Amino acid sequence: MGNLLSCANIQLKPRINEPIEDYTKNHHKCRNCGEKCDPSSPSNGCVNAKYTRTGTRDQPAVIRPVVPNDKVSWSSQFNYQPIEFTSPKVLQSTKEYVDRDPRQNPNVVIPWNLDDRLCDRRSYHGDYKIVKGVPQNPCGRTGLTGRGHLGHFGPNHAADPIVTRWKRDENGAKILNSNSQKPILQFVCIRRRDTNEFAIPGGMVEKKERATETLRREFHEEALNFPNLEECNKDELLTTIKDIFENGGTKIYCGYVDDPRNTDNGWMETTVYNFHDEDVKHLALIHLQAGDDAKDAFWEDLDSKLPLFASHADFIKRVAMLHKAHW
């Protein structure tokens, strides 16, 4: 855990005042090729991952040029012809939405690598390069320039809460997997409205919002709904959840993530926390019901065969290893 992350022949450094111990030596898989960022890996080429080919109504597919594994690194020589794309929705300016990075406005100076009035533009890995006036993805080529479907150039921060409990029988004993003979963990899982995939109930960190606030807000918005709960009981439950999310939890990961929205100039970074109810005292008792931002919410067994959105399977695996649970 003490090693620095490395990707595409560069050393990624933790953010100022963040201990190195909070980072993991295992890195993401690049979305453009579906493999780990290791330019030394032999490969004749790669195909676009499914997230860059499919898309949804809100985020239509953009077919990216193939970038061979050994050409992902910016230091490699490559006849690179990426596609320029920024979603019209990102560029629009209405009463409800304002373009957050109006680069085309010469009067706007964007303070790269700093925390400005719009958002925190610092990367969890230290300063990123500015090339031709925009940030350069520290993990290499993606086949796409511009912001894609992301609101900001550079790092776009998210937070993902993994809420877990042990799977138990009618007598309260932990249930073991028949093959591994390890206890089975369950986590709060949602089904995304946009892709219909299983996912962790996370989301984007809003302006000047702490990660702990995002974790709690997204869990509430995507996994909880209280249509039949009395107001006093609802307030009590929300108070309990707020206390747990602000004072408990174990950091699982903090950094760059494999995400279908990543481009050469904008990328996703996230903070992942595990909130585990060991003794069935609080979170394990919650009756889940999807909120506005999810199609469904439920307790799901942790298992390596479970298909999950983006890098969520990597995070779930880390939680299983943390608790010595079945995977």
Side-chain angles (χ1 to χ4, degrees), residues 80-282:
Y80 185 46
Q81 297 180 333
I83 295 174
E84 170 79 25
F85 174 70
T86 298
S87 168
K89 185 176 180 180
V90 171
L91 294 173
Q92 72 180 341
S93 181
T94 66
K95 289 183 179 179
E96 295 78 23
Y97 185 94
V98 177
D99 182 10
R100 292 178 288 180
D101 277 358
R103 175 172 161 242
Q104 66 274 20
N105 187 339
N107 298 319
V108 176
V109 178
I110 299 178
W112 307 120
N113 288 301
L114 297 174
D115 185 1
D116 73 0
R117 63 182 180 82
L118 292 178
C119 67
D120 189 349
R121 299 183 186 277
R122 297 173 296 174
S123 168
Y124 289 126
H125 305 296
D127 289 354
Y128 44 84
K129 293 182 179 180
I130 305 301
V131 178
K132 296 182 180 180
V134 292
Q136 184 184 74
N137 190 317
C139 289
R141 301 179 174 106
T142 67
L144 202 67
T145 60
R147 278 182 282 167
H149 295 288
L150 294 174
H152 294 291
F153 289 105
N156 290 255
H157 295 115
D160 295 296
I162 303 178
V163 176
T164 55
R165 69 181 185 184
W166 293 111
K167 187 174 186 178
R168 299 176 184 272
D169 61 20
E170 61 274 9
N171 298 316
K174 295 178 183 178
I175 297 177
L176 305 183
N177 177 269
S178 57
N179 294 322
S180 67
Q181 290 301 303
K182 291 183 177 181
I184 299 173
L185 266 181
Q186 294 183 313
F187 75 105
V188 173
C189 182
I190 65 165
R191 188 183 294 275
R192 294 174 62 96
R193 288 188 181 277
D194 54 359
T195 65
N196 208 38
E197 292 174 287
F198 289 178
I200 303 165
M204 303 302 297
V205 177
E206 295 184 353
K207 182 174 65 175
K208 298 305 177 185
E209 185 178 48
R210 293 180 299 157
T212 53
E213 294 172 335
T214 305
L215 291 165
R216 177 171 57 85
R217 174 175 55 78
E218 290 295 336
F219 181 73
H220 182 192
E221 291 179 356
E222 297 193 344
L224 299 179
N225 201 358
F226 313 107
N228 301 316
L229 199 63
E230 293 183 4
E231 201 65 31
C232 59
N233 294 331
K234 175 181 175 180
D235 291 342
E236 182 179 352
L237 178 57
L238 291 176
T239 299
T240 300
I241 293 174
K242 179 180 179 181
D243 180 66
I244 292 170
F245 274 69
E246 289 185 350
N247 301 302
T250 301
K251 184 183 286 187
I252 299 299
Y253 180 77
C254 185
Y256 188 110
V257 288
D258 172 21
D259 192 280
R261 292 164 290 186
N262 290 346
T263 74
D264 290 0
N265 309 124
W267 58 92
M268 290 292 299
E269 297 186 7
T270 194
T271 302
V272 184
Y273 272 85
N274 174 219
F275 300 92
H276 179 62
D277 188 350
E278 176 70 24
D279 301 314
V280 196
K281 292 182 177 179
H282 35 74

Side-chain angles (χ1 to χ4, degrees), residues 11-125:
Q11 292 295 318
L12 300 177
K13 301 177 182 179
R15 182 188 287 188
I16 296 172
N17 298 327
E18 289 279 356
I20 289 177
E21 287 75 19
D22 283 344
Y23 294 85
T24 172
K25 62 184 178 182
N26 297 317
H27 207 25
H28 67 290
K29 291 189 292 184
C30 275
R31 178 49 58 201
N32 65 303
C33 64
E35 300 295 337
K36 287 189 176 180
C37 281
D38 182 2
S40 65
S41 298
S43 174
N44 295 323
C46 62
V47 296
N48 294 318
K50 65 177 182 178
Y51 295 111
T52 60
R53 293 200 307 267
T54 53
T56 67
R57 182 183 64 181
D58 294 330
Q59 297 185 3
V62 180
I63 307 303
R64 309 177 188 222
V66 173
V67 180
N69 293 356
D70 61 349
K71 302 300 182 183
V72 170
S73 170
W74 293 111
S75 62
S76 62
Q77 296 297 316
F78 183 45
N79 182 21
Y80 185 46
Q81 297 180 333
I83 295 174
E84 170 79 25
F85 174 70
T86 298
S87 168
K89 185 176 180 180
V90 171
L91 294 173
Q92 72 180 341
S93 181
T94 66
K95 289 183 179 179
E96 295 78 23
Y97 185 94
V98 177
D99 182 10
R100 292 178 288 180
D101 277 358
R103 175 172 161 242
Q104 66 274 20
N105 187 339
N107 298 319
V108 176
V109 178
I110 299 178
W112 307 120
N113 288 301
L114 297 174
D115 185 1
D116 73 0
R117 63 182 180 82
L118 292 178
C119 67
D120 189 349
R121 299 183 186 277
R122 297 173 296 174
S123 168
Y124 289 126
H125 305 296

Side-chain angles (χ1 to χ4, degrees), residues 285-305:
L285 301 173
I286 292 176
H287 176 68
L288 300 174
Q289 187 171 351
D292 294 337
D293 295 343
K295 186 176 181 180
D296 195 10
F298 45 91
W299 289 99
E300 180 64 40
D301 296 355
L302 267 71
D303 189 277
S304 59
K305 298 180 180 62

